């Protein structure tokens, strides 16, 4: 879609200095700045299974090791496994490559839930080590806690007589502060497998890299098991400066609607090439046809200034001033009517305007002809976050007089 609409040829400058396509950018209505992926914060706001769309809370997902218990993928080709019932028991089969859970040497089951997956054989040992490290952490933090006075009372109470039965409690807390540390036994070394062993254990069928990545704990001698589908997270985007939410989806994972959407397309003039550029020749003036669309809720007072920096194509056109009505206003010429035409303005339709700029490429530009434009624009106050709650008393807060800028580079290839 991006190629069809030629978005890939036009890059806008983000407030952090990076160049991105307009659909990839956000707009903060509080800071009046363009934000990209790299200069915004992302937060997971919902975790769900991409197959059955069942939502999970974060602790629940952690318990399930971020896998869905009901959905399984084919171990061979990664397609969805569907259940087949035979003799009141069911098994899983892939409709694409015919691999089934019977190939994995799994018996048929009563229900399609909780098919076994390969567990790490060292899980208990790992848990032991983690617990040991936690105890060490408590010991290391004990002097700091003492300094802070967190447990000073505990320590002084040790010398008191057990008059009110508090001694037991004190002992307990003291133990928590200085736990018994029994070092975990080191993992005993085992002999590495010989080449003969490895050759004997190797299955006849070689596995692809994808199959190995899907089940990294399964040895080549063991059969592949159905793969539990990984859960995915849906993110909400925040501004990194004011921490206000820029993009938030509506409640529920099935919905495609937005509760808050602050995409740059709805605030920045959308500039695209309306016709492909003819062959560029050094020193020959060539027209470039652009369309400017205002998709915002405010009418925009726009000035387009071609930049003449070194390394970029020279533009002989003067800066262009125009007023574009908002996409929501109805007071303009009917679509398709050429309301106004001149040397520069090719057509005007409602909230879109067609422009013609003349460029003169030099020999050095022909390799990568890029046109650099600066847009200054003004809005009527509806960009401000306060405008939505209709509390704009102070024109300064609504940013009416503020001149907004956007910089873009158009690849003329
Ligand atoms: Zn950025
Ligand atoms: Zn699922
Ligand atoms: Zn398959
Ligand atoms: Zn902000």
């Amino acid at each position: 879609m991006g190629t069809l609409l030629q978005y890939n040829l036009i890059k806008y400058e983000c407030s952090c200095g990076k160049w991105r396509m307009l659909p990839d950018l956000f707009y903060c209505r509080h800071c009046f700045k363009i934000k990209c992926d790299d200069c915004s914060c992302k937060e997971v706001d919902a975790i769900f299974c991409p197959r059955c769309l069942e939502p999970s809370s974060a602790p629940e997902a952690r318990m399930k090791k971020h896998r869905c218990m009901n959905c399984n993928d084919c171990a061979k080709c990664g397609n969805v496994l569907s259940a087949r019932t035979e003799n009141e028991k069911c098994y899983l089969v892939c409709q694409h490559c015919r691999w089934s859970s019977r190939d994995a040497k799994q018996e048929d089951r009563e229900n399609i839930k909780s098919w076994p997956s390969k567990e790490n054989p060292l899980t208990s040992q790992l848990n032991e080590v983690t617990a040991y490290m936690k105890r060490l952490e408590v010991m290391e933090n004990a002097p700091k806690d003492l300094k802070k006075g967190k447990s000073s009372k505990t320590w002084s109470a040790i010398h008191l007589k057990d008059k009110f039965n508090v001694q037991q409690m004190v002992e307990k807390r003291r133990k928590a502060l200085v736990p018994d540390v029994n070092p975990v036994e080191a993992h005993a070394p085992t002999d590495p497998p010989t080449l003969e062993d490895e050759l004997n254990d190797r299955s006849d069928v070689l596995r692809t890299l994808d199959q190995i990545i899907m089940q990294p704990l399964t040895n080549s001698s063991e059969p592949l098991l159905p793969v539990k589908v990984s859960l995915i997270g849906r993110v909400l985007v925040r501004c990194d400066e004011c921490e206000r939410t820029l993009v938030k989806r509506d409640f529920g994972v099935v919905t495609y609607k937005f509760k808050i959407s602050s995409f740059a397309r709805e605030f920045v003039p959308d500039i695209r090439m309306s016709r492909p550029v003819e062959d560029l020749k050094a020193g020959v003036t060539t027209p470039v046809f652009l369309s400017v669309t205002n998709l915002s809720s405010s009418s925009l007072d726009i000035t387009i200034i071609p930049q003449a920096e070194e390394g970029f194509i020279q533009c002989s056109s003067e800066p262009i001033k125009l007023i574009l009505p908002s996409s929501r206003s109805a007071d303009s010429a009917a679509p398709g009517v050429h309301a106004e035409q001149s040397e520069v303005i090719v057509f005007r339709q409602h909230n879109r305007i067609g422009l013609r700029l003349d460029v003169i490429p030099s020999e050095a530009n022909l390799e990568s002809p890029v046109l650099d434009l600066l847009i200054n624009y003004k809005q009527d106050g509806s960009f401000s976050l306060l405008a939505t709650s209709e509390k704009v008393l102070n024109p300064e807060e609504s940013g009416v007089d503020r001149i907004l800028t956007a910089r873009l580079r158009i690849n003329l290839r």
Side-chain angles (χ1 to χ4, degrees):
M1 192 71 177
T3 327
L4 186 68
L5 301 172
Q6 295 190 320
Y7 271 126
N8 55 333
L9 296 177
I10 295 146
K11 297 268 162 80
Y12 281 71
E13 191 184 27
C14 174
S15 57
C16 69
K18 289 188 174 129
W19 295 85
R20 296 274 187 273
M21 290 192 284
L22 189 59
D24 296 341
L25 293 168
F26 311 105
Y27 192 88
C28 180
R29 297 172 69 184
H30 186 256
C31 313
F32 289 98
K33 275 181 187 171
I34 298 174
K35 294 279 162 190
C36 71
D37 260 8
D38 291 339
C39 59
S40 57
C41 308
K42 296 219 168 76
E43 219 174 85
V44 173
D45 93 300
I47 302 170
F48 63 100
C49 165
R51 294 259 191 283
C52 62
L53 299 177
E54 194 187 278
S56 312
S57 64
E60 212 182 322
R62 217 174 298 133
M63 284 272 290
K64 293 195 275 185
K65 294 183 184 165
H66 286 266
R67 301 270 173 177
C68 179
M69 289 293 134
N70 306 337
C71 307
N72 292 284
D73 274 350
C74 173
K76 257 189 160 177
C77 68
N79 269 296
V80 192
L81 287 182
S82 42
R84 282 269 177 87
T85 317
E86 215 176 87
N87 303 330
E88 291 182 0
K89 288 201 166 184
C90 62
Y91 66 101
L92 301 173
V93 66
C94 172
Q95 301 290 352
H96 181 67
C97 69
R98 312 305 299 169
W99 183 87
S100 78
S101 56
R102 288 173 174 175
D103 295 336
K105 293 177 186 156
Q106 294 292 313
E107 280 178 22
D108 294 359
R109 290 170 169 253
E110 308 265 298
N111 58 21
I112 57 161
K113 285 186 181 180
S114 303
W115 282 81
S117 56
K118 176 85 182 168
E119 290 298 324
N120 190 350
L122 297 174
T123 309
S124 57
Q125 209 166 345
L126 277 172
N127 288 343
E128 237 173 79
V129 173
T130 319
Y132 178 65
M133 298 301 280
K134 272 190 183 152
R135 268 178 298 182
L136 286 184
E137 188 198 355
V138 172
M139 282 178 72
E140 202 176 300
N141 287 341
K144 276 187 227 160
D145 291 347
L146 268 176
K147 243 185 213 171
K148 279 183 201 160
K150 264 189 193 171
S151 43
S152 57
K153 277 176 195 163
T154 326
W155 285 97
S156 60
I158 287 170
H159 311 290
L160 293 176
K161 278 180 188 167
D162 197 8
K163 206 172 176 184
F164 305 104
N165 248 349
V166 286
Q167 198 65 30
Q168 253 182 346
M169 194 183 76
V170 170
E171 269 304 301
K172 224 187 220 174
R173 288 194 69 178
R174 194 178 66 88
K175 270 194 181 159
L177 213 61
V178 189
D180 301 330
V181 184
N182 305 317
V184 181
E185 272 180 40
H187 182 62
T190 49
D191 289 330
T194 60
L195 188 63
E196 283 81 33
D197 288 346
E198 277 200 353
L199 286 174
N200 287 339
D201 286 348
R202 202 174 72 175
S203 64
D204 298 334
V205 190
L206 280 177
R207 283 174 191 166
T208 63
L209 192 58
D210 282 339
Q211 289 169 1
I212 297 169
I213 290 169
M214 277 199 284
Q215 301 190 43
L217 294 169
T218 312
N219 292 327
S220 58
S221 55
E222 293 166 325
L224 292 171
L225 296 169
V227 183
K228 290 198 171 106
V229 175
S230 311
L231 303 181
I232 55 170
R234 196 180 70 178
V235 291
L236 89 125
V237 184
R238 284 182 191 281
C239 172
D240 62 337
E241 286 173 49
C242 64
E243 295 192 353
R244 278 180 174 79
T245 313
L246 302 181
V247 174
K248 188 184 167 95
R249 233 70 72 88
D250 218 345
F251 185 71
V253 287
V254 190
T255 179
Y256 58 89
K257 285 181 184 163
F258 290 98
K259 210 170 180 182
I260 301 168
S261 72
S262 197
F263 294 106
R265 265 194 90 204
E266 293 161 29
F267 299 93
V268 182
D270 183 0
I271 294 191
R272 268 184 259 166
M273 277 198 277
S274 50
R275 277 184 229 173
V277 183
E278 292 163 25
D279 278 346
L280 294 169
K281 287 187 190 107
V284 180
T285 310
T286 317
V288 173
F289 295 95
L290 302 174
S291 73
V292 187
T293 315
N294 174 14
L295 294 169
S296 72
S297 56
S298 148
S299 69
L300 296 181
D301 188 344
I302 307 172
T303 315
I304 299 172
I305 310 155
Q307 303 289 293
E309 269 182 50
E310 191 124 325
F312 295 98
I313 218 158
Q314 292 291 313
C315 181
S316 58
S317 303
E318 291 292 306
I320 305 158
K321 271 182 185 267
L322 43 103
I323 294 169
L324 268 184
S326 101
S327 56
R328 286 163 213 185
S329 70
D331 54 299
S332 60
V337 176
H338 293 223
E340 181 187 335
Q341 271 187 326
S342 69
E343 270 288 290
V344 181
I345 294 171
V346 185
F347 67 87
R348 186 189 269 272
Q349 300 174 338
H350 190 42
N351 60 334
R352 177 174 295 146
I353 199 161
L355 301 176
R356 177 196 155 124
L357 296 179
D358 289 321
V359 295
I360 312 161
S362 70
E363 201 65 60
N365 297 140
L366 289 179
E367 275 279 301
S368 60
V370 178
L371 178 64
D372 195 1
L373 294 178
L374 177 75
I375 314 171
N376 290 332
Y377 60 103
K378 267 186 180 182
Q379 41 98 30
D380 64 5
S382 62
F383 277 20
S384 169
L385 268 178
L386 295 168
T388 45
S389 52
E390 290 172 14
K391 278 186 218 154
V392 189
L393 299 172
N394 189 354
E396 256 177 45
E397 273 180 49
S398 65
V400 177
D401 295 330
R402 196 189 287 232
I403 295 173
L404 304 168
T405 58
R407 195 146 179 211
L408 64 149
R409 285 180 184 166
I410 305 168
N411 193 344
L412 299 179
R413 275 203 167 232

